[in-house]
Amino acid sequence: MTVHPSLQNYADAWTHAVEAIAELVQPLVEGEWNRATPCPGWSVRDIVSHVIGMECEMLGDPRPIHSLPRDLYHVQSEFARYMEMQVDVRRHHTAPEMTSELEYVLIRRARQLRNESRTPDTAVRAPLGTEQTLEVAYRKRAFDTWVHEQDLRVALNAPGNLDSPGAYVARDFLIEALPKVVAKDAGAPAQSAVVFDVSGPVEFLRTVRVDAEGRGTVDGSPSLGPLVTLATDWETFYRLACGRVRPAAVADRVKVDGDTELAEAILRVLAVTP
């Protein structure tokens, strides 16, 4: 039995990214596990711990019983506390312990994928005791794993896979967030349009339109008179949208045409990941 056709794309993207992660960390010596990554507050070890922990949750394993230290400055919300639990519990694990646990959980997840017979709308566990559909869970794991693969590549100076299957899942995930970013968070005026022109290994042109009621939508049609056009490359776009870099640090890689004040407001709130 294989996964449902609507899940296959996400399963393939997740598999590609998680196998890349396993390959990246397998040869690391102990000290390299402590390298900082672009993910705020997390080292290489922490990223891998997070991946292990999230896959354990996909398998239905019980969450660890663990008290977090009080001095974790990057833990600012209940969601962050939830995510940090699987990370902090592994902070003193050695390199062999990390690679062994990662390998074991990936074997179990591969088996789960091979035997997957649930439908995409099946309710499964989500963070903070909530529920989500299986399709949403698969999609989020594909997105999350690809972004963390890129975190590790930056930390380890091993660039690659900017156009892998996970990159296209990430593209669609981030594009879906743009109407809220532009219309609600940045406060673009009614009856305006904002164009995102992204080039590179994953390229796209999208227009966010704000209607008379201030609601945003996104489509692939060009706008004749956009209030703002933001042009950048794919790597810069995903790093901004995933909160991996501040706008000021990549100002030379973002070209703005039109209302600079609105452009700055959009860039300030472009980070859409928790």
Side-chain angles (χ1 to χ4, degrees), residues 29-101:
V29 298
E30 200 66 54
E32 290 175 302
W33 285 84
N34 297 323
R35 283 194 189 180
T37 74
C39 187
W42 280 3
S43 66
V44 168
R45 177 185 281 99
D46 296 340
I47 293 276
V48 178
S49 295
H50 168 71
V51 170
I52 291 170
M54 291 301 99
E55 301 315 327
C56 286
E57 298 202 11
M58 289 292 287
L59 287 159
D61 293 355
R63 282 176 55 77
I65 298 171
H66 178 71
S67 296
L68 288 180
R70 294 179 179 275
D71 60 349
L72 298 174
Y73 73 92
H74 58 281
V75 178
Q76 302 283 339
S77 66
E78 277 305 301
F79 183 82
R81 287 183 64 81
Y82 183 96
M83 290 300 172
E84 196 72 22
M85 202 73 77
Q86 296 276 15
V87 172
D88 194 67
V89 78
R90 295 176 172 85
R91 280 221 159 93
H92 299 294
H93 287 196
T94 64
E97 286 173 330
M98 293 298 298
T99 52
S100 296
E101 189 180 11

Side-chain angles (χ1 to χ4, degrees), residues 242-270:
C242 294
R244 273 21 184 201
V245 67
R246 294 185 184 278
V250 290
D252 60 327
R253 299 181 69 168
V254 181
K255 182 173 180 286
V256 174
D257 282 327
D259 187 330
T260 55
E261 194 174 320
L262 178 59
E264 287 171 4
I266 291 168
L267 290 170
R268 273 198 306 271
V269 296
L270 186 53

Side-chain angles (χ1 to χ4, degrees), residues 117-124 132-135:
S117 58
R118 294 172 292 179
T119 58
D121 58 357
T122 302
V124 297
Q132 59 192 350
T133 66
L134 188 64
E135 184 168 6

Side-chain angles (χ1 to χ4, degrees), residues 43-232:
S43 66
V44 168
R45 177 185 281 99
D46 296 340
I47 293 276
V48 178
S49 295
H50 168 71
V51 170
I52 291 170
M54 291 301 99
E55 301 315 327
C56 286
E57 298 202 11
M58 289 292 287
L59 287 159
D61 293 355
R63 282 176 55 77
I65 298 171
H66 178 71
S67 296
L68 288 180
R70 294 179 179 275
D71 60 349
L72 298 174
Y73 73 92
H74 58 281
V75 178
Q76 302 283 339
S77 66
E78 277 305 301
F79 183 82
R81 287 183 64 81
Y82 183 96
M83 290 300 172
E84 196 72 22
M85 202 73 77
Q86 296 276 15
V87 172
D88 194 67
V89 78
R90 295 176 172 85
R91 280 221 159 93
H92 299 294
H93 287 196
T94 64
E97 286 173 330
M98 293 298 298
T99 52
S100 296
E101 189 180 11
L102 179 63
E103 183 180 358
Y104 179 55
V105 78
L106 295 188
I107 289 170
R108 293 174 63 210
R109 281 282 280 131
R111 186 187 302 128
Q112 184 186 46
L113 281 176
R114 283 197 304 273
N115 298 323
E116 184 63 87
S117 58
R118 294 172 292 179
T119 58
D121 58 357
T122 302
V124 297
R125 183 170 76 181
L128 297 173
T130 57
E131 286 189 340
Q132 59 192 350
T133 66
L134 188 64
E135 184 168 6
V136 168
Y138 268 56
R139 188 185 192 208
K140 285 184 176 178
R141 291 310 311 133
F143 168 72
D144 188 61
T145 308
W146 179 81
V147 173
H148 288 313
E149 176 200 340
Q150 293 303 317
D151 287 335
L152 294 175
R153 289 187 177 281
V154 172
L156 300 170
N157 194 27
N161 284 353
L162 280 170
D163 59 352
S164 65
Y168 289 92
V169 174
R171 174 200 63 185
D172 295 344
F173 195 95
L174 296 172
I175 285 173
E176 275 186 20
L178 292 178
K180 179 178 179 291
V181 165
V182 172
K184 184 179 178 183
D185 301 338
Q191 307 284 34
S192 65
V194 173
V195 172
F196 292 84
D197 184 359
V198 175
S199 59
V202 174
E203 61 180 16
F204 60 87
L205 182 75
R206 292 292 186 278
T207 302
V208 176
R209 304 178 197 278
V210 184
D211 67 15
E213 281 75 47
R215 291 187 298 262
T217 56
V218 63
D219 61 58
S221 305
S223 170
L224 295 177
L227 203 53
V228 176
T229 297
L230 292 164
T232 189

